[in-house]
């Protein structure tokens, strides 16, 4: 859960290392986006597919901030990857959507707002949605 960055001879940021436990645990990587200095970061060496997916998911989860009501004070470090696994991306998107729903105060997340979210998901994925409200309910 630690990170250390270093500078080159001219004082410019040159690299960093992050300490992790289990490389297959996404949460072992989640500290990186806020522990590293802002900017774009690349891996110095390739990881196997499972560790890469864990890194990408963990980095995405660690980058999350609920900023609907308050702007971020600092942008997280960005992971630059050659490819992003589609299933990992879908899982990350679902996790972040759930976090937004959970973090939204109840006075801003009533039935109408939840319906709008459900309709948006249905529209994105080409699904039909039927909502029963009012007297029909």
């Amino acid at each position: 859960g630690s990170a250390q960055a270093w500078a080159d001879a001219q004082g410019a940021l040159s690299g960093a290392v992050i300490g992790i436990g289990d490389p297959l645990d996404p949460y072992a990587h989640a500290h990186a986006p806020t522990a590293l200095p802002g900017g774009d970061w690349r891996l110095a060496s390739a990881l196997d597919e499972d560790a890469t997916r864990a890194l990408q998911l963990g980095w995405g989860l660690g980058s999350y901030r609920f900023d609907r009501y308050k702007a971020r004070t600092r942008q997280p470090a960005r992971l630059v990857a050659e490819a992003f696994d589609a299933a990992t991306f879908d899982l990350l998107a679902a996790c972040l959507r759930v976090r937004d729903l959970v973090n939204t105060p109840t006075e801003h997340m009533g039935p109408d707002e939840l319906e709008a979210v459900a309709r948006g998901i249905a529209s994105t994925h080409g699904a039909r949605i039927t909502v029963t409200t009012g007297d029909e309910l």
Side-chain angles (χ1 to χ4, degrees):
S2 59
Q4 179 64 50
W6 58 86
D8 62 18
Q10 290 73 40
L13 186 60
S14 177
V17 63
I18 59 171
I20 59 167
D22 180 357
L24 301 180
D25 177 6
Y27 290 105
H29 305 277
H31 69 289
T34 55
L36 293 172
D40 294 337
W41 290 90
R42 286 180 169 66
L43 295 176
S45 59
L47 301 174
D48 66 46
E49 286 183 30
D50 291 335
T52 298
R53 283 192 293 272
L55 170 66
Q56 291 173 341
L57 181 58
W59 198 291
L61 292 171
S63 296
Y64 174 82
R65 291 295 175 271
F66 183 69
D67 55 9
R68 181 172 175 181
Y69 304 102
K70 183 178 179 184
R72 291 177 182 245
T73 56
R74 173 189 182 274
Q75 292 298 316
R78 292 176 303 275
L79 176 63
V80 177
E82 297 300 317
F84 202 96
D85 179 67
T88 302
F89 181 81
D90 291 343
L91 177 58
L92 176 59
C95 289
L96 300 184
R97 182 182 305 275
V98 168
R99 284 182 172 188
D100 279 346
L101 292 171
V102 168
N103 288 324
T104 300
T106 55
E107 64 267 20
H108 296 153
M109 188 49 65
D112 292 339
E113 290 82 6
L114 279 173
E115 179 184 339
V117 170
R119 286 187 183 283
I121 293 169
S123 175
T124 297
H125 297 284
R128 292 181 315 179
I129 184 169
T130 302
V131 178
T132 305
T133 61
D135 291 338
E136 295 175 9
L137 183 61

